[in-house]
């Protein structure tokens, strides 16, 4: 598979190569590919989800849980206007972005989910639900 990469391809990041392959392979389908990278670790009594969202402020990120689905959305609006002394534009650049990704959190204690955002990485602590073991009881014989 790696031998079939076009000669002009200069990106040597294997993860980007996989994403680009998926995008080109599924370009005619309605499948949505991830818009930001996430890592999920099993830490025993909880899962740790880390989502890379560089360039966003904490206020730009929204977390919602409904019907066992966790949705992470982020929206970014940036406007860099530079004007000369007359007020005419020398350069005007705008950047807008909106990302959304959903995860199945069945088996997670939704009321105990915690989140922190530092250095462009959103980290969620997703505590697992405690298993309820069936109780046994003695029945008296009359």
């Amino acid at each position: 598979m790696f031998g079939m990469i076009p000669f002009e391809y200069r990106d040597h990041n294997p993860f980007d190569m996989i994403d680009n392959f998926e995008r080109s392979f599924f370009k005619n389908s309605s499948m949505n590919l991830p818009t930001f990278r996430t890592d999920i670790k099993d830490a025993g009594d909880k899962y740790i989800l880390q989502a890379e969202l560089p360039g966003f402020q904490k206020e730009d990120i929204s977390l919602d849980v409904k019907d066992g689905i966790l949705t992470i959305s982020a929206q970014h609006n940036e406007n860099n206007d530079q004007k000369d002394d007359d007020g005419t534009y020398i350069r005007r650049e705008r950047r807008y972005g909106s990302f959304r990704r959903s995860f199945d959190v069945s088996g997670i204690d939704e009321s105990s989910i915690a989140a922190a955002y530092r250095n462009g990485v959103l980290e969620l602590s997703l505590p697992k639900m405690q298993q309820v073991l069936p109780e046994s009881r003695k029945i008296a014989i009359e």
Side-chain angles (χ1 to χ4, degrees):
M1 177 174 121
F2 292 108
M4 298 187 67
I5 296 171
F7 171 72
E8 296 82 24
Y9 196 85
R10 296 172 196 245
D11 190 2
H12 300 296
N13 184 340
F15 298 107
D16 288 341
M17 289 174 21
I18 293 169
D19 286 348
N20 291 336
F21 172 75
E22 288 177 341
R23 282 187 179 87
S24 66
F25 186 78
F26 293 108
K27 66 183 171 190
N28 294 327
S29 76
S30 61
M31 180 178 149
N32 290 328
L33 296 172
T35 56
F36 52 87
R37 297 189 192 279
T38 58
D39 296 323
I40 302 173
K41 295 186 260 184
D42 188 346
D45 61 338
K46 64 183 174 182
Y47 294 104
I48 307 276
L49 184 145
Q50 294 175 324
E52 294 178 2
L53 294 166
F56 287 93
Q57 299 297 320
K58 182 171 72 169
E59 297 77 25
D60 297 336
I61 302 169
S62 173
L63 302 171
D64 297 303
V65 178
K66 183 178 179 184
D67 299 328
I69 302 293
L70 167 71
T71 302
I72 301 172
S73 26
Q75 185 169 348
H76 184 74
N77 297 324
E78 184 178 318
N79 195 357
N80 292 327
D81 291 341
Q82 292 182 352
K83 299 180 183 183
D84 62 7
D85 294 335
D86 298 330
T88 58
Y89 289 106
I90 298 297
R91 181 179 74 154
R92 185 175 188 193
E93 295 181 357
R94 294 161 300 286
R95 186 175 73 165
Y96 302 99
S98 177
F99 303 101
R100 175 174 288 209
R101 194 152 175 207
S102 297
F103 301 89
D104 179 15
V105 289
S106 55
I108 300 296
D109 182 5
E110 293 178 7
S111 63
S112 299
I113 295 175
Y117 183 68
R118 286 187 275 302
N119 299 324
V121 177
L122 175 68
E123 183 171 301
L124 297 172
S125 174
L126 306 165
K128 297 177 183 178
M129 291 187 107
Q130 300 297 320
Q131 279 188 326
V132 178
L133 299 174
E135 294 181 23
S136 68
R137 63 182 178 105
K138 298 270 184 190
I139 300 174
I141 302 174
E142 294 181 24

